[in-house]
Amino acid sequence: MTATDAVNSAIGTLYVVATPIGNLEDISARALRILNEVALIAAEDTRHSARLLQHFGITTPLAACHEHNERDEGGRFIQRLLAGDSVALISDAGTPLISDPGYHLVRQARAACVRVVPVPGACALVAALCAAGLPSDRFIFEGFLPAKRTGRRSRLEQLRQEPRTLIFYEAPHRILDCLQDMASVFGGERVAVLGRELTKTFETLKGAPLAALEQWVAADANQQRGECVVVVAGCRAPEGEESVDDNARRVLKLLLAELPVKRAAAVAAEITGVRKNLLYQLALQEKF
């Protein structure tokens, strides 16, 4: 063992542990073992997590690690790790860092050469995507949209021509407004799937064109309760046509400022996946 190995072996490990998003049976055997073995559990909400640990008979101490203290107080967890104690990071539900706290702690741990180990498990966006029946080979996760309508619609406009499947989280009190804005910006005929209360007693997975989905939610107040995931089909070019989305246009424009047209089109094609000839013709027509 080298001197460096000896030092690193004396440092604890930060485990990023996924917990159930609803059904407690979804916790893994590995997650339960890690939560029992570590010296400390960094939790988004200690009161919420205490109930989870009590259910499984886990007595490991808890300490708060949430969005309001994570950046400033992460050092205390790093000190414990550097002293040789292993720590498990958990959120209220699902996988930490996915629209949940944890990024700053993980970044601090890696900067301190602390080993970070993922313990995978439940994740609402993956649960919704795998059951939505929409293309899953290429997708993007947008998390929560801006709470105010102006910001929300502005962000949706930026995504209007995105060809990949889109995944959003949304709060129950905003789900109807969100669907209304999506129907307005993306078009009411665009297909989407609403995943609500996934893995829980009143789980809902409803797929329909956005306009119909909006009407369905508006007509049933029960569908405006609980945590929501919205999976939206990507933008498709009309039959027989091929389009260039806004992202590809931006990439092409930036490259044209530095490269000849032919080379810019070739590089843009490699980056975006859009056909080189299509980008070449666009560069000639638009005269960026």
Side-chain angles (χ1 to χ4, degrees):
M1 180 181 291
T2 66
T4 300
D5 290 336
V7 171
N8 288 338
S9 66
I11 296 176
T13 298
L14 175 62
Y15 294 96
V16 183
V17 182
T19 56
I21 58 176
N23 193 320
L24 294 181
E25 293 179 4
D26 291 339
I27 197 164
S28 70
R30 183 185 178 203
L32 291 175
R33 177 177 61 80
I34 294 296
L35 293 175
N36 268 300
E37 291 179 352
V38 295
L40 182 67
I41 297 174
E44 180 181 1
D45 184 331
T46 55
R47 293 168 299 180
H48 178 92
S49 295
R51 293 192 292 271
L52 175 72
L53 299 185
Q54 183 179 21
H55 177 85
F56 290 107
I58 297 171
T59 59
T60 306
L62 284 164
C65 181
H66 49 71
E67 61 180 336
H68 302 297
N69 77 345
E70 178 190 4
R71 190 190 300 265
D72 297 330
E73 297 189 27
R76 61 176 172 155
F77 298 110
I78 302 302
Q79 289 176 1
R80 292 288 297 269
L81 288 159
L82 293 177
D85 289 336
S86 288
V87 175
L89 170 66
I90 63 175
S91 61
D92 287 349
T95 302
L97 282 77
I98 308 300
S99 286
D100 273 330
Y103 162 69
H104 296 291
L105 178 58
V106 169
R107 185 178 65 173
Q108 291 172 28
R110 293 184 64 84
C113 296
V114 170
R115 183 176 177 227
V116 179
V117 175
V119 182
C123 181
L125 77 92
V126 175
L129 177 64
C130 71
L134 293 174
S136 58
D137 54 335
R138 297 176 68 224
F139 63 90
I140 61 171
F141 174 57
E142 284 291 314
F144 287 92
L145 289 165
K148 295 188 180 298
R149 170 153 286 174
T150 300
R152 184 167 58 240
R153 289 178 67 95
S154 175
R155 182 60 187 144
L156 290 172
E157 286 286 355
Q158 295 174 28
L159 298 167
R160 185 170 54 85
Q161 293 184 308
E162 170 58 58
R164 294 169 292 182
T165 298
L166 299 141
I167 307 175
F168 304 88
Y169 284 170
E170 192 51 273
H173 63 280
R174 289 197 299 266
I175 186 61
L176 185 56
D177 289 341
C178 176
L179 291 173
Q180 289 172 345
D181 289 339
M182 285 181 174
S184 175
V185 174
F186 294 154
E189 71 287 349
R190 182 90 68 96
V191 174
V193 175
L194 170 63
R196 189 184 65 85
E197 291 289 85
L198 294 175
T199 80
K200 299 176 185 176
T201 302
F202 298 104
E203 175 181 273
T204 299
L205 278 161
K206 174 71 172 178
L210 278 165
L213 192 59
E214 174 201 335
Q215 293 173 3
W216 181 75
V217 171
D220 185 355
N222 287 325
Q223 303 308 323
Q224 299 172 46
R225 298 173 181 168
E227 298 303 316
C228 302
V229 185
V230 184
V231 187
V232 184
C235 179
R236 299 295 175 86
E239 196 71 29
E241 296 183 19
E242 195 172 356
S243 64
V244 180
D245 62 29
D246 290 341
N247 180 60
R249 288 174 177 271
R250 285 193 295 271
V251 170
L252 179 60
K253 184 176 181 179
L254 289 170
L255 290 170
L256 284 169
E258 304 293 336
L259 300 172
V261 173
K262 188 174 182 179
R263 181 59 182 158
V267 175
E270 292 179 12
I271 295 172
T272 65
V274 177
R275 285 194 306 112
K276 179 175 65 176
N277 289 344
L278 192 63
L279 291 167
Y280 181 75
Q281 292 301 319
L282 177 65
L284 295 177
Q285 293 169 10
E286 297 289 339
K287 297 179 180 179
F288 288 125

